[in-house]
């Protein structure tokens, strides 16, 4: 079954996200508390455009990881029981019909990638007229392991009409296009596996040091290699503390080239932070792999 691409993401070998695993990380607060008075789940109450501002993934009883790649993705619920999805740039995804099948769940009907009729559903809590949360709990077998893991996905959505920029429960850097504009150079890279510095960290740091990014006010960017040659260019979209980069070589509507999470911004330096969860080779245990790419503003 082809699940809705915003609400359901297939688990792969890595579970990408972020967490308060290190004092150096930008971090995320614990799961936002449900302090609002819940509203009844009805067509009238959910009509509008909703945007993902926090997505946490928990495996077994581990620490929730923040998955930033879908921050800024939206779903629009219409009063006529139709819906449409889009990525952070606004490229349309699935569309079809929805039905509030129970007091806490919504069923979707749409055409899958093979243009066949498909149906799926998920649990929804409408926290207020400003935000809602969706829950998907399932078992998954990760590549490279015979073990089956229990996975819980929580996605927090904000109503773009009533709370266009708020992010309750999540600490985020204030990333604006005016603050980001200019040229930034990678001067340090560190990768930790299970809390220890990776054995090949020196080799990776040598590859990354000297790479620069140029961000322009017209929402275009360029990436330059260590020798100064242009390696990638395209457009970007800022969603709170996340920057989605779109490669011009990709067709309209294609997947995001990559996403960076900006943390620890002090004066003219910040960090691209990334964390993944992986299976320890030859076992059923999970471990954290996280990287810190330090950039500083490059003089004109």
């Amino acid at each position: 079954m082809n699940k809705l691409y915003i609400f359901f993401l297939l688990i792969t070998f890595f579970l990408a996200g972020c967490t308060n695993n290190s004092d150096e990380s930008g971090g995320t607060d614990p799961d936002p508390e449900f302090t609002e008075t819940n509203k009844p789940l009805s067509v009238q109450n959910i009509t509008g455009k909703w945007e993902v501002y926090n997505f946490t993934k928990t495996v077994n009883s581990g620490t929730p990881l923040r998955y930033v790649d879908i921050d800024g993705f939206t779903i629009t619920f219409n009063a006529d029981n139709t819906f449409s999805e889009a990525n952070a740039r606004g490229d349309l995804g699935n569309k079809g019909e929805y039905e509030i099948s129970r007091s806490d769940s919504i069923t979707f009907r749409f055409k899958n990638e093979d243009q066949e009729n498909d149906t799926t559903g998920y649990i929804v809590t409408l926290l207020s007229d400003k935000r809602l949360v969706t829950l998907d709990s399932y078992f998954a077998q990760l590549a490279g392991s015979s073990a089956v893991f229990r996975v819980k996905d929580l996605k927090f959505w904000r109503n773009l009409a009533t709370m266009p920029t708020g992010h309750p429960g999540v600490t985020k850097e204030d990333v604006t296009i005016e603050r980001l504009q200019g040229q930034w150079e990678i001067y340090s890279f560190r990768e930790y596996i299970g809390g220890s510095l990776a054995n090949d960290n020196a080799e990776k740091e040598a590859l990354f040091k000297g790479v620069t990014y140029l961000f322009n006010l017209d929402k275009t960017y360029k990436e330059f290699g260590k020798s100064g040659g242009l390696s990638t260019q395209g457009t970007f979209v800022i969603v709170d503390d996340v920057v989605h980069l779109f490669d011009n070589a990709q067709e309209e509507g294609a997947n995001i080239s990559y996403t960076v999470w900006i943390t620890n911004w002090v004066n003219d330096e910040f960090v691209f932070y990334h964390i993944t969860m992986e299976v320890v080779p030859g076992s059923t245990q999970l471990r954290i792999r996280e990287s810190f790419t330090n950039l500083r503003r490059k003089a004109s």
Side-chain angles (χ1 to χ4, degrees), residues 105-281:
S105 62
I106 297 178
T107 299
F108 291 89
R109 298 179 180 86
F110 56 99
K111 296 283 188 180
N112 61 25
E113 293 176 353
D114 299 322
Q115 293 303 302
E116 297 174 342
N117 293 328
D118 209 340
T119 303
T120 192
Y122 61 94
I123 296 174
V124 179
T125 300
L126 186 60
L127 300 176
S128 68
D129 63 345
K130 296 181 179 178
R131 64 187 189 129
L132 60 80
V133 60
T134 60
L135 167 65
D136 186 21
S137 185
Y138 54 93
F139 291 94
Q141 182 175 340
L142 279 70
S145 172
S146 59
V148 176
F149 300 89
R150 179 64 179 266
V151 182
K152 181 177 74 172
D153 291 344
L154 279 175
K155 298 182 181 71
F156 293 86
W157 304 73
R158 57 191 173 201
N159 188 307
L160 290 179
T162 57
M163 193 177 72
T165 59
H167 42 81
V170 189
T171 301
K172 298 184 177 186
E173 288 285 355
D174 181 22
V175 180
T176 64
I177 192 169
E178 292 80 13
R179 194 179 181 193
L180 187 62
Q181 70 166 319
Q183 195 162 14
W184 301 84
E185 180 179 16
I186 297 176
Y187 70 90
S188 174
F189 175 83
R190 298 178 313 287
E191 183 176 54
Y192 298 89
I193 302 176
S196 299
L197 191 67
N199 293 332
D200 61 349
N201 185 81
E203 290 84 352
K204 289 185 176 179
E205 184 175 47
L207 288 175
F208 297 141
K209 284 181 67 173
V211 171
T212 60
Y213 292 86
L214 174 64
F215 295 97
N216 300 308
L217 288 175
D218 62 358
K219 299 183 180 179
T220 61
Y221 79 94
K222 293 181 179 179
E223 179 184 330
F224 299 91
K226 298 177 61 172
S227 63
L230 179 65
S231 58
T232 305
Q233 62 181 332
T235 60
F236 67 91
V237 175
I238 298 174
V239 181
D240 299 335
D241 57 350
V242 174
V243 181
H244 298 293
L245 302 171
F246 295 86
D247 188 339
N248 276 352
Q250 295 186 356
E251 297 179 359
E252 188 76 13
N255 291 331
I256 296 172
S257 299
Y258 55 99
T259 299
V260 293
W261 181 22
I262 294 180
T263 67
N264 299 84
W265 197 328
V266 180
N267 298 323
D268 284 338
E269 297 187 7
F270 60 73
V271 175
F272 285 166
Y273 179 67
H274 186 251
I275 187 170
T276 58
M277 183 181 294
E278 64 185 36
V279 178
V280 177

